Amino acid sequence: MDSLRFNSLVIHAGQAPEATSGAVMPPIFQTSTYAQEAPGVHQGHEYARVTNPTRSALEALLAGLENGTDAMAFASGCAAMDALLKILRPGDEVLSVNDLYGGTFRLMTKVFEPYGIRFRFLDLTDLDALKAALTERTRMVWIETPTNPLLNIVDIAAVTTICRAHSPRVITVVDNTFASPYLQRPLDLGAHAVVHSTTKYLGGHSDVVGGAVITSDPELIEHVRFQVKTTGAVPGPMDCYLVLRGIKTLSVRMERACRNAADLAEWLNNHPDVKSVNWPGFPGHRGHEIAKRQMTDFGAMVSFTLKQDDVPSAHRFMSATRVFTLAESLGGVESLISHPVSMTHASIPREQRLQAGLGDSLIRLSVGIEDVDDLRADLQRAFDSLR
Ligand SMILES: *Cc1c(COP(=O)(O)O)cnc(C)c1O
């Protein structure tokens, strides 16, 4: 199966018909424990916090997609990140992007910082800034790309090369939620570990919350497996099944969503009521050349500011759409629209976010797989509501 191409791997990686019945899809093993023939003699499963066959099937698939040796599934993306971050010890330093996902920022600064771990947030598109920030205490570099909601692109290969040259102690992690393995595979670009919120593109249907860590690094595998067994933030078998089922159509969903997003980005870019559009597919985008190199397409996330660049106009715009649903989250089959300034990024002071390029009217689209003509008409209806 390893020789299969990505579009086949999403269906077949780590998946074999179930042994006792020949079921083509992995059954939902709704059990907490497993019978043993004699003490310590069993068929590979002892207790469901540690392993569950439905979860194992999902993990094998995720490992295949990210080209890692091992994957560990979690009850949420945050639980996956928490397990990985627990490798840190007091005195360690972590470097990360300055427009990090809000939940990750909160986890780092509110949960881990009080234990004496230092987090610094910088512009990782600036490789000189990265080199200057690395110290002998740096234990981890945490990358997000594309970033949320400005869609900046970090050069994964360049960052991991710099970190590996700096010290073998530095663990490079990529949160690959925004891209999905369909668009980019960070382990192939030198990262030690990938984390996912499978809630987003991998699940793909906005019907499940989940997370995962994927890696080929023996130390990280041992650490994360120990966390799974010991702290137990594991997903139930039904949730694993939903993510598995969602992943089967990852390629076809991404293909359509990226095409829709490209269409809408071009249209918005030429729209008289739009001030600016963030989408890495534009040749003028700061990270365009890197995106072309490290991604297979430019993704289905688009953000833009209105010519009437104020909060009330953004609110009016978002109340007028009918196909785009006003909601947080992303990566589902349905298109979502959100206003980061009053939703996900409300806690950032105005001056600070303006400096980062996060304007008052910034609107973020998670473009789904509907008919693009309906999506365009829906956005035009919202523009009309501003008059
Ligand atoms: C949603 C998200 C998370 C958190 O995942 P949950 O499944 O909501 O816990 C982490 N990183 C990114 C980039 C996300 O979009």
Side-chain angles (χ1 to χ4, degrees), residues 88-366:
L88 300 167
R89 292 292 173 264
D92 285 346
E93 285 181 2
V94 179
L95 304 176
S96 187
V97 291
N98 56 6
D99 49 354
L100 194 65
Y101 174 73
T104 313
F105 181 77
R106 186 172 57 219
L107 180 63
M108 289 175 171
T109 57
K110 301 282 192 231
V111 175
F112 284 91
E113 211 161 67
Y115 288 104
I117 296 148
R118 185 157 175 243
F119 295 88
R120 291 165 68 193
F121 302 94
L122 57 148
D123 179 3
L124 285 185
T125 66
D126 181 349
L127 298 176
D128 291 328
L130 168 66
K131 284 179 196 158
L134 286 162
T135 73
E136 72 279 4
R137 288 180 171 269
T138 309
R139 178 68 166 130
M140 190 178 276
V141 173
W142 189 283
I143 302 166
E144 264 183 38
T145 180
T147 64
N148 175 30
L150 294 170
L151 305 168
N152 290 317
I153 303 292
V154 176
D155 189 334
I156 299 171
V159 169
T160 58
T161 302
I162 289 167
C163 292
R164 282 173 188 271
H166 174 76
S167 160
R169 272 193 86 239
V170 180
I171 301 163
T172 48
V173 179
V174 176
D175 181 339
N176 206 25
T177 301
F178 249 55
S180 90
Y182 174 83
L183 293 177
Q184 81 193 2
R185 284 173 291 285
L187 299 183
D188 292 348
L189 299 169
H192 293 96
V194 166
V195 295
H196 272 289
S197 167
T198 56
T199 314
K200 316 293 168 54
Y201 284 110
L202 291 169
H205 295 74
S206 305
D207 55 4
V208 63
V209 170
V213 177
I214 304 107
T215 178
S216 301
D217 183 281
E219 183 194 5
L220 292 178
I221 293 166
E222 193 189 331
H223 164 75
V224 178
R225 282 219 182 287
F226 180 78
Q227 291 298 320
V228 167
K229 179 169 87 178
T230 308
T231 65
V234 295
M238 179 69 193
D239 286 355
C240 292
Y241 165 78
L242 285 170
V243 177
L244 255 173
R245 180 183 162 112
I247 291 174
K248 302 264 176 187
T249 55
L250 178 68
S251 287
V252 286
R253 283 187 286 108
M254 290 305 287
E255 207 178 300
R256 166 74 79 88
C258 289
R259 198 167 63 229
N260 282 355
D263 270 18
L264 293 180
E266 297 283 0
W267 178 74
L268 287 167
N269 208 30
N270 293 316
H271 199 286
D273 297 333
V274 170
K275 186 170 156 190
S276 62
V277 183
N278 304 306
W279 179 64
F282 292 131
H285 184 283
R286 233 161 41 97
H288 179 69
E289 288 306 319
I290 302 163
K292 240 167 65 178
R293 215 165 44 234
Q294 77 184 13
M295 301 169 76
T296 52
D297 204 335
F298 300 108
M301 302 300 296
V302 178
S303 66
F304 63 100
T305 47
L306 299 171
K307 197 144 264 170
Q308 266 167 258
D309 191 6
D310 52 58
V311 172
S313 297
H315 284 185
R316 195 132 39 93
F317 188 93
M318 283 179 298
S319 316
T321 59
R322 288 181 213 156
V323 184
F324 279 88
T325 303
L326 175 59
E328 288 184 12
S329 198
L330 63 125
V333 288
E334 69 294 319
S335 293
L336 300 181
I337 188 165
S338 73
H339 186 231
V341 166
S342 41
M343 296 165 74
T344 46
H345 293 61
S347 59
I348 306 173
R350 183 166 185 268
E351 283 314 309
Q352 196 181 323
R353 68 168 163 76
L354 287 180
Q355 213 159 27
L358 230 157
D360 289 334
S361 72
L362 189 84
I363 290 167
R364 191 192 80 174
L365 305 178
S366 169

